[in-house]
Amino acid sequence: MYAWVTALSAWIIPALLAAILAAALVRRVPVYEAFVEGAKDGFGTAVAIIPHVVAMMVAISVFRASGALDLLVALCRPLTDALRVPGEILPLAFLRPLTGSGALSYMVDLFQTHGPDSLIGRMASTIQGSTDTTFYVLAVYFGAVGVTRARYALTVGLLADLAGIAAAIWITNRVFG
Amino acid sequence: MISAIWLGMILVSIVVAAATGRLDAVNRAVFEGAKAGVSICIGLVGILAFWLGMMRIAERAGILRALARLLAPLVRRLFPDVPRDHPAMGYILSNMTANLLGLGNAATPMGIKAMEELQKLNPDPKTATPAMCTLLALNTASLTVVPTTVIALRAQMGSANPVDIVGTTLVATAIGTATAIVLDRWFRRRGK
């Protein structure tokens, strides 16, 4: 199964590229010109999201460095203890919507301390795989088109993260607990 | 909402830092965060340019339109206010497919293109439309079938069976995505 999954992920992008180029060949699209024309937008888009991403990264970086994140974890501890959520998993649950790289490094930290095949290791893996970095996704996607009033999008994103994390904790407890 | 959370995070951080004597850490964090923000964006330039180039080829070859037509019945339900043959549909589908396959890097440029097309339908360019909120909700819930990065890390860290979390991930991601869709519907109907 592992070999199958790695083979799939190795093949998927080359296969996608081949399919796009084959279709272009059939339709007689001037591929090089079309590619360059589309790729030109890459730089502008990346630059356009800088202010949004910088704003988010500074807030998140300050939030972690000041100890506010630790405080938030400590405040939630009684509630999560009552729900029998392992305390080690809690920082990950808070980091996940905020920072992709931060959550990933915390997961590696949990792997190192508890082992990837421990209950906590599997729980962390499931949380990591089943949610996304909501603040980053919002900054990038809305930043790219200049939308500043996100309406209910952030609320929905964060509540979906909460549901995903709760579901991840529940299902790993059930399957591996 | 973002304004309030952003402001809240920074103000709370300053208060906590002042109370625990970590103001120097905050000073460093401001510079580090700003620097990280720029390097993330600049790091995106190459992959964005590459996929936007490929997407233009796909668009000209008619792949996006074909894809949109094929899966229209499903996506039309999620995005009722996007016209049937609008180019946004094709980009939304490419974005969803890339997410399903766990191709995070390829999903972002397609999602951005989808947002740009949705922006063309937006009467007020500063405010997100319901369709934009739905697309964002789908992306933050991150419906993934193969969590490639997690599997790779588990293998590297000596897991006996790195893929044994695929099943639990699938269940959790399905619940998260279903929640996102239901909440999105609910807020949309409330017309907020």
Side-chain angles (χ1 to χ4, degrees):
Chain A
M1 170 85 173
Y2 181 52
W4 188 79
V5 172
T6 34
L8 182 76
S9 46
W11 270 96
I12 216 142
I13 290 192
L16 196 66
L17 296 182
I20 292 175
L21 293 177
L25 205 63
V26 172
R27 296 284 167 87
R28 296 173 183 280
V29 174
V31 282
Y32 188 77
E33 283 86 341
F35 180 88
V36 171
E37 190 192 299
K40 262 184 206 149
D41 295 342
F43 191 74
T45 306
V47 171
I49 60 177
I50 287 179
H52 301 264
V53 175
V54 166
M56 283 300 174
M57 295 310 286
V58 168
I60 290 157
S61 172
V62 166
F63 196 67
R64 284 186 76 181
S66 67
L69 178 70
D70 299 331
L71 191 70
L72 189 62
V73 170
L75 285 176
C76 292
R77 203 59 183 263
L79 178 70
T80 49
D81 280 353
L83 295 169
R84 292 199 302 156
V85 176
E88 294 87 340
I89 229 57
L90 209 52
L92 180 67
F94 281 113
L95 280 176
R96 191 66 186 105
L98 294 175
T99 140
S101 54
L104 210 60
S105 45
Y106 189 77
M107 180 182 77
V108 172
D109 193 56
L110 287 177
F111 283 176
Q112 264 158 359
T113 330
H114 304 273
D117 294 332
S118 64
L119 182 66
I120 286 171
R122 283 169 164 150
M123 209 173 263
S125 308
T126 306
I127 291 177
Q128 190 70 31
S130 63
T131 53
D132 210 330
T133 314
T134 300
F135 281 88
Y136 173 72
V137 172
L138 189 113
V140 168
Y141 280 16
F142 283 175
V145 293
V147 162
T148 48
R149 277 189 292 272
R151 301 216 288 185
Y152 51 83
L154 185 62
T155 316
V156 172
L158 290 178
L159 287 172
D161 281 336
L162 184 67
I165 290 167
I169 292 171
W170 168 75
I171 190 76
T172 10
N173 264 329
R174 250 196 99 106
V175 175
F176 301 112
Chain B
M1 178 77 180
I2 309 177
S3 262
I5 290 192
W6 192 72
L7 190 76
M9 280 174 82
I10 293 180
L11 287 182
V12 167
S13 303
I14 292 172
V15 171
V16 172
T20 55
R22 285 202 212 174
L23 282 171
D24 56 325
V26 167
N27 286 332
R28 249 177 291 127
V30 170
F31 288 104
E32 273 159 23
K35 207 167 133 193
V38 175
S39 25
I40 287 172
C41 295
I42 295 303
L44 269 177
V45 170
I47 198 77
L48 265 176
F50 177 74
W51 281 105
L52 291 177
M54 289 310 291
M55 289 308 283
R56 186 64 61 95
I57 298 177
E59 189 187 346
R60 291 246 212 125
I63 296 178
L64 292 182
R65 200 167 309 147
L67 202 64
R69 209 167 301 150
L70 193 71
L71 290 166
L74 170 78
V75 182
R76 226 178 16 242
R77 252 177 233 170
L78 287 171
F79 297 89
D81 29 21
V82 179
R84 264 191 91 151
D85 266 343
H86 197 274
M89 283 292 197
Y91 287 120
I92 289 171
L93 281 164
S94 329
N95 169 257
M96 284 169 74
T97 315
N99 268 328
L100 275 174
L101 299 172
L103 312 176
N105 277 337
T108 309
M110 295 170 189
I112 288 175
K113 279 304 274 184
M115 280 294 174
E116 282 171 0
E117 290 300 328
L118 290 176
Q119 182 72 318
K120 290 179 186 162
L121 299 168
N122 189 355
D124 172 11
K126 286 274 162 217
T127 308
T129 60
M132 289 174 162
C133 293
T134 307
L135 183 62
L136 201 86
L138 287 175
N139 273 284
T140 59
S142 147
L143 189 59
T144 313
V145 175
V146 188
T148 326
T149 318
V150 175
I151 294 172
L153 274 173
R154 289 173 61 81
Q156 204 184 314
M157 303 289 291
S159 165
N161 188 5
V163 291
D164 69 0
I165 45 85
V166 170
T168 50
T169 303
L170 207 57
V171 172
T173 197
I175 294 176
T177 305
T179 311
I181 292 171
V182 169
L183 286 172
D184 176 66
R185 283 288 107 147
W186 188 71
F187 277 107
R188 192 188 269 241
R189 209 164 297 158
R190 269 188 15 172
K192 238 179 88 178

